[in-house]
Amino acid sequence: MLGSSSANPLSIMRLLRWPVPVHVHIEWPKFVQRILARAIRPVVVKTVRLRHLIQTEDGEPDSLVAVLEFNGEQANVDDPEHIDLAQLKSSLNNDGTFFIWTCSCGAPGCAGMFDGVRVSHRGDVTNWHDIDCKRKYTFKSQDLRDAYVRGIIDGVEKLNARSNLEPVPDQNGPAYCEEG
């Protein structure tokens, strides 16, 4: 019926009414995306910290989870927050899109992160545009690098103090074996 040239517009509208909500992902045109992106005011990050939480779950090994804090508050309010340390480290000196936030399984898409964080460096300033969560951050680049190094040292200390800890997600393990 939809393909016929004699279809009544009212009958087409009736066909398009669904008894259950249908969720459709719409890709906005690039110019609209740029306008929407400008509307997000960046948070100026005065203090940044990479710290570690120890999570326990019955029947599972204890987990070491890296989290970011900006201005004294957890950066990602989603629970639980997981950081991909390799992506974070790569973003410290390189421009591009990085999947800094991830799921405990290590797959960003599993946590609903499909577009990542667009990172740019301008002089001694690093800008993050978290496309998935529609947030922007501005850092002093050296503060972000220092937080990473201090965070890795803290993680290594925690792992050495408790042999039953396992880094989560799994891909974070190698970060604790390197020199910050």
Side-chain angles (χ1 to χ4, degrees):
M1 179 171 161
L2 287 175
S4 71
S5 60
S6 63
N8 179 346
L10 289 175
S11 62
I12 293 172
M13 289 177 61
R14 279 190 212 109
L15 280 175
L16 294 177
R17 287 190 211 147
W18 296 92
V20 294
V22 175
H23 300 282
V24 177
H25 177 74
I26 298 172
E27 183 71 26
W28 292 97
K30 294 294 181 192
F31 78 93
V32 174
Q33 290 180 21
R34 284 191 296 273
I35 292 168
L36 294 174
R38 277 189 231 125
I40 304 168
R41 301 197 75 188
V43 172
V44 176
V45 178
K46 297 193 184 297
T47 61
V48 58
R49 180 177 174 209
L50 174 64
R51 71 181 188 98
H52 291 83
L53 305 175
I54 297 174
Q55 294 181 338
T56 58
E57 208 172 300
D58 289 338
E60 297 289 328
D62 292 346
S63 326
L64 184 69
V65 179
V67 297
L68 283 170
E69 289 181 350
F70 301 153
N71 300 332
E73 296 180 15
Q74 203 165 309
N76 190 348
V77 294
D78 298 330
D79 187 34
E81 173 188 327
H82 298 282
I83 302 295
D84 184 319
L85 293 173
Q87 290 284 302
L88 177 60
K89 184 177 182 182
S90 293
S91 77
L92 296 176
N93 297 306
N94 300 304
D95 289 352
T97 301
F98 300 91
F99 288 89
I100 296 166
W101 316 114
T102 192
C103 179
S104 62
C105 73
C110 186
M113 305 298 167
F114 299 104
D115 297 312
V117 177
R118 192 170 302 134
V119 177
S120 63
H121 300 275
R122 303 288 178 259
D124 63 346
V125 174
T126 299
N127 295 297
W128 283 11
H129 179 187
D130 184 342
I131 301 164
D132 293 303
C133 296
K134 296 171 183 45
R135 301 176 294 196
K136 288 185 176 183
Y137 299 102
T138 300
F139 308 88
K140 288 184 181 174
S141 299
Q142 192 58 48
D143 290 349
L144 193 54
R145 288 184 200 105
D146 292 345
Y148 177 82
V149 171
R150 283 191 306 272
I152 294 300
I153 292 168
D154 175 57
V156 168
E157 289 172 357
K158 284 183 171 42
L159 287 167
N160 288 337
R162 292 183 56 180
S163 61
N164 66 331
L165 280 180
E166 292 185 8
V168 171
D170 288 339
Q171 70 254 30
N172 283 352
Y176 301 110
C177 299
E178 302 171 357
E179 295 297 317

